[in-house]
Amino acid sequence: MANAIPEKIRMNTTLLENLAEVAKDAALLKGVLMRIQETPNSSELVTYAPFTLFPTPVPEAVFSQALAVQTHFNTLVDKISQDAEFLQDALASTIEVDDFTARLFKIHQQIVKEGKSQSVVCGLNRSDYMLDQAEDGSSSLKQIEINTIAASFGGLSSCTPDVHRHILQVAGQLEQSERILDNNPAAGLARAVAKAWELYGSEKAVIMFLVEEGQRNIFDHRYVEKELWNRNIATMRRRFDDVSKTGSMDQDKRLFVDGQEVAVVYFRNGYMPQNYNSEKDWDARLMMERSLAVKCPDISTHLVGTKKVQQVLATPGVLEKFFPHQPQVVEQIRATFAGLYTLDMGPEGDQTVAMALAAPDRFVLKPQREGGGNNFYGSEMCEVLQEVKDGTERTAYILMDKIHPAPVQNILLRRDTPLQISTCLSELGVFGAYVRKGEDMVLNECVGHLLRTKSSEHSDGGVASGVAVLDNPLLF
């Protein structure tokens, strides 16, 4: 482990090596970390989700900071989603060159023009951070991004505490096993969706999970579904194609799919261009947005999660617009921001390009995409910038300071991968849930956390993209 980690929670290399055999058994623990993925030889294969052999040390101060600021981020996302003028100004340059964001924005514009059919809004967010290590060894919390659509692993991260408790008990680390935090984001996410269903006002209506064709992370969804069924709230799973074929709106704009009234559409799909295979899929998205069903998220909240909005929020004076008489809230949020720089056309954008090309190892280039594995680093970043630096294509990206977390050692367990000690980096996610009806915020909570860890040889990527694995924080 890194030298900054106290001895009482340091797990040495010998222990890791001796417990390689434990890892083989740990991979099968209780069957709680399962997912389904497509394979060439089988339509469906059930396997365990990847995870670390041991929990990763995380400073308690920065962990508490991340949890404490989450309700403020919930409020910020919701306020921006209601400010059509701000979204228009923030995304004006991006939608000129990014077709996918432009298609989403077009739906947003139509909803603004027509007026929203539903006054209830449900947001399930995840704010992701890394701990930036200074030269003196101290760590500061820096936000990577905020996910406002299909924020994943609230289900599986509800199970990982028991897995690591068991592993530490097997390893003879009883004191440390008792210090693994309870964590149940699935319950909190379901609580918000259930509140939205209740406010919709029809006991016969269902909650529809909008899912993709080949779902590799189905069990993550199932934990949230189970929480809803425990409340006697019916759910169903449908794809864009299903909505296109069997979906309709009545004269009151109530949404029906397969003959069932839909109270809440929970989007677990629809955040990447490849999720839309035809114009019919886009038509289905528009129909859902126009309907009376509560959208989780609605289209404007989806757009709040773009990288461009994140960059604009870091501009001096912008946060004060949304929290005009709350300087402490502004300070809490701004303290998490890393350096974010515009690539819009003009002197400021030109300066950003020159700065990145002069010191590429200091920055990361980000497009308006979710799902992991989309960012550019180092020489690859320079190649992209050289291609677009003189044209409006560069406005499809933002530039961000590269964060330097402290490396630790662990064993990453994933299917068909040899067991070995790796130097690893971790990313902390914090789940937030809120429900608003009209002007009243009826629920606003931080509902749990997620820790993902990857080998330091990878610059980018998440669990779904096959790079990172699930983890738990061990606070010190």
Side-chain angles (χ1 to χ4, degrees):
M1 294 294 183
N3 292 333
I5 300 170
E7 180 66 32
K8 66 179 180 179
I9 62 169
R10 187 175 297 156
M11 297 180 182
N12 59 40
T13 301
T14 301
L15 179 59
L16 286 170
E17 291 173 340
N18 289 344
L19 286 168
E21 290 301 315
V22 174
K24 296 176 183 177
D25 293 333
L28 304 175
L29 282 174
K30 302 177 182 178
V32 296
L33 291 178
M34 294 191 296
R35 61 179 181 174
I36 287 182
Q37 63 180 20
E38 298 294 330
T39 65
N41 300 319
S42 173
S43 60
E44 290 185 341
L45 172 69
V46 178
T47 182
Y48 67 92
F51 61 102
T52 58
L53 179 58
F54 290 111
T56 293
V58 172
E60 184 173 4
V62 291
F63 179 82
S64 298
Q65 178 190 359
L67 268 58
V69 76
Q70 184 58 43
T71 54
H72 298 320
F73 271 115
N74 292 345
T75 301
L76 177 60
V77 167
D78 187 50
K79 287 186 174 185
I80 296 171
S81 74
Q82 299 175 70
D83 193 331
E85 183 178 354
F86 177 84
L87 281 174
Q88 172 72 54
D89 292 343
L91 294 171
S93 60
T94 301
I95 61 179
E96 290 295 324
V97 296
D98 188 298
D99 291 340
F100 179 63
T101 305
R103 291 296 301 264
L104 296 172
F105 194 80
K106 184 178 179 181
I107 295 176
H108 160 74
Q109 285 181 305
Q110 182 167 342
I111 300 303
V112 170
K113 182 179 179 180
E114 292 182 3
K116 294 187 176 182
S117 302
Q118 177 57 259
S119 65
V120 177
V121 174
C122 180
L124 304 181
N125 303 324
R126 196 189 70 225
S127 186
D128 292 335
Y129 307 90
M130 278 187 165
L131 308 185
D132 196 29
Q133 187 177 47
E135 292 183 0
D136 63 2
S138 62
S139 296
S140 58
L141 190 74
K142 295 301 175 186
Q143 188 183 59
I144 304 296
E145 63 184 355
I146 187 162
N147 301 273
T148 61
I149 181 170
S152 60
F153 295 109
L156 293 183
S157 60
S158 302
C159 306
T160 54
D162 283 342
V163 173
H164 275 145
R165 288 187 185 112
H166 179 81
I167 292 173
L168 290 172
Q169 289 168 358
V170 172
Q173 306 290 323
L174 298 181
E175 179 184 352
Q176 292 185 21
S177 71
E178 294 171 355
R179 291 171 50 222
I180 297 294
L181 300 171
D182 289 331
N183 187 35
N184 193 1
L189 299 176
R191 186 161 56 247
V193 177
K195 173 58 70 173
W197 174 86
E198 175 189 323
L199 293 173
Y200 180 83
S202 174
E203 292 185 358
K204 295 180 180 180
V206 304
I207 294 171
M208 182 175 73
F209 283 57
L210 190 84
V211 299
E212 59 190 313
E213 178 73 30
Q215 182 56 249
R216 299 178 63 246
N217 197 24
I218 188 172
F219 288 102
D220 186 52
H221 304 187
R222 292 298 193 192
Y223 285 100
V224 180
E225 288 182 65
K226 182 176 183 296
E227 292 284 346
L228 292 168
W229 279 103
N230 287 345
R231 295 168 178 263
N232 296 317
I233 301 174
T235 70
M236 65 180 187
R237 301 171 60 83
R238 295 295 186 271
R239 303 161 301 173
F240 273 120
D241 188 53
D242 298 318
V243 176
S244 178
K245 290 178 179 177
T246 70
S248 64
M249 285 194 300
D250 69 7
Q251 61 184 8
D252 298 319
K253 290 193 173 182
R254 293 185 299 169
L255 177 66
F256 291 85
V257 177
D258 283 338
Q260 298 187 80
E261 184 177 358
V262 177
V264 180
V265 179
Y266 178 19
F267 286 96
R268 292 303 300 249
N269 190 26
Y271 53 90
M272 294 189 294
Q274 55 266 39
N275 298 152
Y276 299 82
N277 297 314
S278 68
E279 285 300 314
K280 290 183 178 180
D281 291 347
W282 284 105
D283 291 342
R285 177 69 186 267
L286 176 60
M287 179 174 65
M288 289 184 283
E289 294 293 341
R290 295 182 66 236
S291 77
L292 188 64
V294 180
K295 277 70 66 175
C296 181
D298 63 14
I299 190 67
S300 56
T301 305
H302 182 175
L303 289 167
V304 177
T306 56
K307 304 299 185 295
K308 184 59 182 177
V309 168
Q310 182 187 9
Q311 179 261 306
V312 171
L313 287 174
T315 305
V318 173
L319 285 178
E320 285 81 355
K321 170 182 171 63
F322 297 102
F323 299 97
H325 306 296
Q326 297 174 277
Q328 291 182 330
V329 172
V330 170
E331 183 180 351
Q332 279 183 271
I333 294 174
R334 185 166 286 142
T336 69
F337 288 170
L340 292 153
Y341 312 95
T342 182
L343 283 163
D344 285 354
M345 303 307 293
E348 188 177 0
D350 293 342
Q351 183 179 359
T352 298
V353 172
M355 180 174 65
L357 293 175
D361 291 338
R362 287 181 49 204
F363 304 102
V364 53
L365 187 67
K366 293 188 165 188
Q368 313 299 318
R369 294 291 178 270
E370 302 297 334
N374 299 301
N375 299 332
F376 299 98
Y377 301 82
S379 60
E380 190 176 15
M381 179 185 73
C382 290
E383 291 178 10
V384 174
L385 279 178
Q386 289 288 2
E387 290 179 7
V388 303
K389 67 177 183 177
D390 297 322
T392 56
E393 294 87 353
R394 78 188 195 189
T395 61
Y397 302 87
I398 66 163
L399 192 74
M400 179 176 172
D401 284 343
K402 189 176 181 181
I403 299 169
H404 300 280
V408 297
Q409 287 189 314
N410 214 323
I411 293 177
L412 309 180
L413 284 78
R414 55 166 60 92
R415 187 174 62 89
D416 298 333
T417 300
L419 298 174
Q420 61 185 25
I421 299 171
S422 301
T423 301
C424 302
L425 306 173
S426 297
E427 183 173 320
L428 174 67
V430 179
F431 292 97
Y434 66 89
V435 177
R436 174 174 53 82
K437 182 176 183 180
E439 298 298 320
D440 298 325
M441 187 71 84
V442 297
L443 183 152
N444 184 3
E445 299 177 357
C446 171
V447 297
H449 59 270
L450 162 71
L451 195 68
R452 290 169 294 175
T453 295
K454 64 185 178 184
S455 171
S456 60
E457 67 186 33
H458 297 289
S459 296
D460 194 19
V463 177
S465 60
V467 174
V469 306
L470 299 170
D471 198 351
N472 276 298
L474 189 63
L475 302 186
F476 69 92

